[in-house]
Amino acid sequence: MQLSEQEIIRREKLGKLREAGINPYPAALYPVNHTSKQIKEGFEEGKKITIAGRLMSRRIQGKASFAELQDSEGRIQIYFNRDEICPDEDKFKYNEVYKKLLDIGDFIGIEGELFTTQVGEKTVMVKDFTILSKTLKPLPLPKVDADGNTYDEFNDPELRYRQRYVDLVVNPHVKDTFVKRTKITNSIRQFFNDKDYLEVETPILQPIPGGAAARPFVTHHNALNIPLYLRIANELYLKRLIVGGFDGVYEFSKDFRNEGMDRTHNPEFTVMELYVAYKDYMWMMETTEALLEKVAIDATRSSKVMVGENEIEFKAPYPRIPILQAIEDHTGFDLSGMDETQIREIAQKLGIEVDETMGKGKLIDEIFGEKCEHHYVQPTFITDYPKEMSPLTKEHRDNPELTERFELMVNGKELANCYSELNDPIDQKERFEEQLRLSEKGDDEAMFIDQDFIRALEYGMPPTAGIGIGIDRLVMLMTNNASIQEVLFFPQMRPEKKPLVLSDNEKAIFEILKTHKSMDLNDLKAQSGLSNKGWDKGIKGLSKHGLTKVTKTEDALIVEVI
């Protein structure tokens, strides 16, 4: 591992602390009794406090120094005075430990008294300090020049998502997003708990990945010698609990789908699913409106939320538009009564990529997704989906070609999906069998047949309404973030590329080449000053790393930087 100059210096300081008998990683409890927020809100001149956090800045002026300490609640100014910390003649702790062996980013504990500076800044006068954790890597802190311009911000998404622990330290607004995420989930829990619905847990490892049309992750259980799947949805297990006698159950579930990644999709994501007996999808629309209005107010103090340039109003009621009507509105084609072949022809006319594995339901879904979805910025219920699109949904009470289903669209994306749940076991088995036929045609997202779930329905499930709400997308809306990676602490990332480490021979050659870009091979060898063996190893290594190439001309061999 190659260390930077800063990392080497910090390790040297670590050694000096230990030589001085100071443990830079003490095990004992540190008796914190105040946070920076508590100090500011309940400020009392002369009050004795104990606080801990990271040293984030300091201005040393001889025997005195102002600094900033950052804890979980924010920052507070602290004042170091040599004679306060070292009242006796021994000034080692200030002159050596504080001034020379501490670094920005180190965790320290402070015992002190509160006072107000001449410019009115609430400050902690340090009476004593304790090193709690020595940092070995420098924080990438932004710098501000005399004109107020900011430089060296830690804003590269690749680094921020991969090193979220650093992102949270140096970009305080990021923490606000995740605090708001917890407020959102707490608001939903409170809404359901007030109605006496029960929060439950269902299996993540499942023998059949049911409840949605998606490609699952597959694993193997050695003891049972069977394949298992990470769940793509928890719907079928929650409905088993309705069969078992619960009237209302909900779960915040981690679901997993082995599909593409983009700004709105992560292979691991969070969904809240709710099932309530003796209700239907019309009731669930009203419940969803009340829930989201409450969540918006709890999270943002308003039912109106800014998302990009759009102000989105979550106050009820929301428009309700049948999906075939939406398609006709935005394409001019009425798909009512059309068969699979006709709909495929319409999709092709609209320039939508289709293939023979796509059944009627998937074709309609593609048309709506490509041509309609983005138009619905304000919350809108898209309702009454064709039966082929909804294998777990009850047949529409007025039209046997449709189902009692809605999807809630907000800011051009699906936020929620709801059914009047199918509770006819014979109909459910036929729907599963149709999914099997789609799978045999090559649709790798078609649902599996879950025989145990059919058996559960045969024992009887009351009329039930169910809904799934994408928590990550809801948080994106409530925090005005366009990327799902911004609302996940640790989003999935491609493997980190290992830094390229060159040998001394490779470095000697490459440093010369970086200046000239290309050189005659013999001239380069002469300038490198390497032995024949060293030269051979160096030039071959650079080619292997993909940094250089050798081309032959009529007169010579030329080495170029790639």
Side-chain angles (χ1 to χ4, degrees), residues 140-155 170-171:
L141 292 170
K143 301 173 182 62
V144 181
D145 64 18
D147 298 324
N149 300 310
T150 303
Y151 301 94
D152 299 331
E153 291 180 281
F154 189 68
N155 54 15
V170 302
N171 294 320

Side-chain angles (χ1 to χ4, degrees), residues 185-413:
T185 55
N186 286 345
S187 177
I188 295 171
R189 280 192 170 93
Q190 182 186 47
F191 184 87
F192 293 151
N193 291 344
D194 287 347
K195 295 178 180 294
D196 291 328
Y197 302 150
L198 185 69
E199 184 172 8
V200 298
E201 294 180 339
T202 61
I204 293 175
L205 281 174
Q206 300 180 351
I208 293 174
R215 187 183 300 117
F217 288 93
V218 187
T219 187
H220 185 82
H221 191 283
N222 291 333
L224 296 176
N225 193 28
I226 59 170
L228 289 174
Y229 304 86
L230 290 177
R231 70 178 168 205
I232 57 175
N234 54 348
E235 175 172 343
L236 302 188
Y237 283 91
L238 292 175
K239 287 196 282 194
R240 284 172 169 92
L241 298 180
I242 298 295
V243 171
F246 290 100
D247 279 352
V249 292
Y250 72 95
E251 180 178 16
F252 288 88
S253 68
K254 284 288 186 184
D255 291 348
F256 307 84
R257 297 184 183 178
N258 196 356
E259 299 168 346
M261 294 169 56
D262 57 32
R263 291 170 68 83
T264 60
H265 293 87
N266 193 68
E268 174 184 352
F269 57 99
T270 304
V271 174
M272 188 291 305
E273 293 202 29
L274 165 74
Y275 294 83
V276 185
Y278 311 111
K279 309 298 183 185
D280 65 6
Y281 80 138
M282 302 296 290
W283 174 88
M284 191 64 85
M285 287 187 210
E286 296 174 358
T287 300
T288 303
E289 289 170 337
L291 171 64
L292 293 181
E293 183 177 341
K294 175 185 185 299
V295 167
I297 292 171
D298 288 348
T300 71
R301 299 182 180 178
S302 172
S303 64
K304 295 179 180 179
V305 176
M306 288 302 300
V307 180
E309 298 178 353
N310 300 313
E311 183 180 74
I312 294 179
E313 173 61 88
F314 282 98
K315 189 174 180 62
Y318 307 158
R320 305 176 183 192
I321 303 172
I323 188 171
L324 296 183
Q325 181 64 54
I327 290 173
E328 185 175 0
D329 290 344
H330 296 291
T331 70
F333 290 102
D334 182 1
L335 305 186
S336 303
M338 287 189 180
D339 61 22
E340 181 182 313
T341 301
Q342 292 171 312
I343 294 174
R344 181 174 282 107
E345 290 173 356
I346 295 296
Q348 289 170 337
K349 287 179 182 178
L350 293 169
I352 296 171
E353 189 174 330
V354 298
D355 59 57
E356 293 304 314
T357 71
M358 297 169 70
K360 183 177 177 180
K362 201 159 191 180
L363 289 167
I364 294 172
D365 193 32
E366 286 292 316
I367 293 171
F368 179 79
E370 288 285 330
K371 300 298 180 180
C372 308
E373 194 174 74
H374 60 279
H375 292 288
Y376 299 104
V377 175
Q378 296 301 321
T380 304
F381 293 117
I382 303 299
T383 68
D384 302 344
Y385 284 62
K387 190 178 289 186
E388 293 84 358
M389 298 180 70
S390 312
L392 299 169
T393 311
K394 185 170 286 195
E395 184 179 286
H396 197 284
R397 65 196 75 179
D398 298 324
N399 185 341
E401 298 296 316
L402 304 177
T403 59
E404 297 201 344
R405 174 187 177 186
F406 73 74
E407 288 186 320
L408 177 61
M409 300 293 160
V410 184
N411 199 42
K413 293 291 181 183

Side-chain angles (χ1 to χ4, degrees), residues 25-70:
Y25 306 105
L29 171 150
Y30 191 78
V32 174
N33 59 26
H34 280 75
T35 66
S36 59
K37 183 178 179 182
Q38 289 170 338
I39 289 172
K40 292 172 184 176
E41 291 179 349
F43 188 82
E44 295 178 28
E45 198 81 21
K47 183 178 181 179
K48 289 180 169 51
I49 61 93
T50 303
I51 189 173
R54 286 184 187 270
L55 186 68
M56 295 300 287
S57 69
R58 59 178 173 174
R59 305 181 301 278
I60 297 175
Q61 299 171 330
K63 67 176 185 178
S65 171
F66 282 100
E68 278 187 308
L69 192 77
Q70 178 172 299

Side-chain angles (χ1 to χ4, degrees), residues 482-532:
S483 171
I484 193 171
Q485 286 87 358
E486 293 289 350
V487 301
L488 301 174
F489 270 129
F490 304 106
Q492 194 66 43
M493 304 288 290
R494 286 186 173 85
E496 189 171 4
K497 291 182 179 179
K498 293 181 179 179
L500 184 61
V501 179
L502 301 181
S503 69
D504 290 341
N505 293 332
E506 292 164 351
K507 285 180 186 176
I509 299 170
F510 198 63
E511 286 300 317
I512 299 168
L513 265 180
K514 280 197 301 185
T515 304
H516 296 84
K517 302 301 181 186
S518 67
M519 286 184 69
D520 178 275
L521 184 142
N522 291 324
D523 291 343
L524 179 61
K525 181 179 179 181
Q527 283 196 35
S528 72
L530 296 173
S531 66
N532 288 335

Side-chain angles (χ1 to χ4, degrees), residues 15-32:
K16 290 177 181 178
L17 285 169
R18 285 180 166 141
E19 289 171 8
I22 298 171
N23 183 356
Y25 306 105
L29 171 150
Y30 191 78
V32 174

